[in-house]
Amino acid sequence: MQVLIDADGCPVVDCAIRVARRFGLPVLLLCDTAHTFSRAGARTVTVSKGADSADFALVNLLRPGDAVVTQDYGLAAMCLARGALPIHQDGWRYTAENMDTLLLARHTAKKLRRAGRRLKGPPKRTAEQNQAFERGFTQLLESSMKGESRADADHI
């Protein structure tokens, strides 16, 4: 298992690296040339600037069971389809049960913007959101690692 982070605009990169390190998991940061990252404890993959170029690179690098940190609903849907475990920067998990609603909301917002409507952006990030991410990400990795160890025991 590895942790892949859609690092372009991600406010929880350092926290995700810290949590992954506690579990002994490798971390891969993906970004395009407009956002250059370098963090101790993580390997960075920088791809050419372009619409969704980092997203497609991330999907091509992930394996089933990998954890993915992203705020992008479309990327999360692709990760789910590939058997990964995507989590939002606010600590809630993307699932097959909530994905249709999230994608519909994204589509509706895009239609409104195309029609000239202005939508209110997200409020300033809070310490509570950071804490919720750390709790949610820790729980995701704990449950995933338990599942991995059970699967390994089944093969012995």
Side-chain angles (χ1 to χ4, degrees), residues 12-13 34 40 58 73-74 91 101 110 116 141:
V12 293
V13 169
L58 188 151
Y73 299 165
T101 302
K110 190 173 187 176
L141 296 180

Side-chain angles (χ1 to χ4, degrees), residues 6 55 58-59 62 68-89 92-96 98-99 102-103 106:
D6 178 15
D55 296 349
L58 188 151
V59 170
L62 69 80
V68 177
V69 179
T70 184
Q71 66 180 339
D72 183 322
Y73 299 165
L75 174 57
M78 290 188 288
C79 292
L80 278 173
R82 299 277 312 265
L85 306 168
I87 187 167
H88 188 270
Q89 65 190 23
W92 49 268
R93 299 236 348 236
Y94 296 98
T95 65
N98 66 16
M99 188 50 63
L102 294 169
L103 290 173
R106 180 178 102 155

Side-chain angles (χ1 to χ4, degrees), residues 5-62:
I5 302 174
D6 178 15
D8 293 339
C10 181
V12 293
V13 169
D14 294 327
C15 179
I17 293 170
R18 188 174 58 252
V19 172
R21 193 177 296 157
R22 286 197 317 249
F23 287 88
L25 297 172
V27 177
L28 192 59
L29 303 175
L30 286 103
C31 59
D32 66 28
T33 55
H35 306 91
T36 304
F37 282 90
S38 177
R39 297 288 198 284
R43 186 168 66 97
T44 301
V45 174
T46 305
V47 299
S48 298
K49 186 177 175 184
D52 302 320
S53 59
D55 296 349
F56 292 123
L58 188 151
V59 170
N60 286 325
L61 291 171
L62 69 80

